[in-house]
Amino acid sequence: MSRFRSLLQASVNATKKALTWNVEEWVPPAEKHIFKFHSKEDLKKWHLYSDSEYGGLSSASLEIPDKEDGSDCTGIFSGSLSVDLSEGSKWNISRSGFCGMRSKKFDGFIDLDGYDAIALRLRGDGRCYISTIYTENWVNSPGQAEDNSWQAFVFAPKDSWYTAKIPLARYLPTWRGNVIDVEMEMNPGRVLGMSLSVNAEGGAVGAKSGAGDFRVEIDWIKALRLP
């Protein structure tokens, strides 16, 4: 009988160990690097856009400065916002004064299931920027190629490095920059890309707004599991 009990206890212990191992394997790491901005190769994963594609006069650049002191390099997204339109523009747009940087299409998807927030390490100019997550299309325009977009404001304090942590629940579904009045949740397991943009209208109370220059340094973008 004692031998049977020993075998039974050993079986129970093995089962508990297996269950613990499976749970640990399922839980993702505390953070997941999505993008870094430390080299010119890193920047090749992004492309720029602005209202200039539609007759606006805003402009933007994304670059890595050369540092002779050997310090770490970070990407600089900068440019100028203008609310004016080109004379004789064929485009009939309702607003101008925006620029953005968007990641190129992934080879497949990035799976952020199991994570709670997006973190961006920034050093800005006091403006409010817009963080966008693009997911597989199944809401905005069924049967069309456009991705679903989810947006949240992120403030970039002037002259100070700051890690902004944005809960995924704070990202709102949008269509061409306007919030969609619908109750739904993002599917973080089907992320197609991301962007960071800025517009002259501002965003957060107290943030710098209006036409003029903008500049934000960006170190990395990560997904986080919050405690």
Side-chain angles (χ1 to χ4, degrees):
M1 181 63 70
S2 59
R3 178 178 174 81
F4 173 76
R5 288 178 177 175
S6 297
L7 290 173
L8 181 60
Q9 186 62 49
S11 176
V12 169
N13 291 340
T15 300
K16 287 182 178 179
K17 183 177 181 180
L19 288 173
T20 302
W21 179 83
N22 287 335
V23 169
E24 291 175 348
E25 284 292 302
W26 179 83
V27 175
E31 62 181 43
K32 179 176 183 175
H33 276 272
I34 305 174
F35 293 106
K36 56 185 176 67
F37 300 84
H38 299 161
S39 69
K40 290 181 171 60
E41 284 298 313
D42 293 336
L43 301 195
K44 290 180 180 179
K45 299 176 181 178
W46 297 79
H47 66 82
L48 297 167
Y49 63 90
S50 73
D51 58 33
S52 63
E53 301 172 28
Y54 309 99
L57 297 175
S58 301
S59 61
S61 66
L62 178 61
E63 58 187 359
I64 291 278
D66 295 323
K67 293 188 176 181
E68 297 180 357
D69 60 2
S71 59
D72 293 338
C73 293
T74 52
I76 299 177
F77 173 48
S78 63
S80 178
L81 297 173
S82 173
V83 295
D84 298 325
L85 298 175
S86 301
E87 290 186 13
S89 172
K90 65 178 182 179
W91 297 98
N92 183 23
I93 60 175
S94 59
R95 61 181 178 178
S96 58
F98 63 87
C99 294
M101 47 180 277
R102 177 170 176 169
S103 65
K104 297 178 181 178
K105 288 280 189 177
F106 300 133
D107 183 14
F109 304 94
I110 282 190
D111 185 358
L112 299 183
D113 200 17
Y115 290 94
D116 308 300
I118 296 296
L120 305 91
R121 187 169 186 263
L122 307 166
R123 179 162 63 181
D125 53 3
R127 286 187 182 271
C128 193
Y129 291 77
I130 300 171
S131 171
T132 305
I133 299 174
Y134 300 97
T135 58
E136 186 179 28
N137 178 10
W138 62 278
V139 174
N140 293 346
S141 48
Q144 299 185 29
E146 292 192 53
D147 308 325
N148 291 152
S149 58
W150 305 76
Q151 297 184 325
F153 287 121
V154 52
F155 178 64
K158 185 177 181 180
D159 300 330
S160 298
W161 280 107
Y162 171 68
T163 299
K165 299 177 182 179
I166 314 170
L168 292 179
R170 193 179 297 173
Y171 283 84
L172 301 177
T174 62
W175 170 245
R176 296 184 178 178
N178 297 309
V179 175
I180 301 173
D181 186 15
V182 61
E183 292 186 9
M184 57 177 291
E185 293 184 1
M186 179 195 306
N187 180 1
R190 308 287 279 185
V191 174
L192 295 167
M194 296 184 174
S195 73
L196 186 69
S197 59
V198 61
N199 63 56
E201 296 177 358
V205 176
K208 180 181 177 181
S209 62
D213 294 340
F214 68 89
R215 185 182 190 276
V216 61
E217 291 181 66
I218 180 167
D219 190 1
W220 44 252
I221 300 175
K222 300 178 182 178
L224 301 179
R225 283 195 299 112
L226 299 178

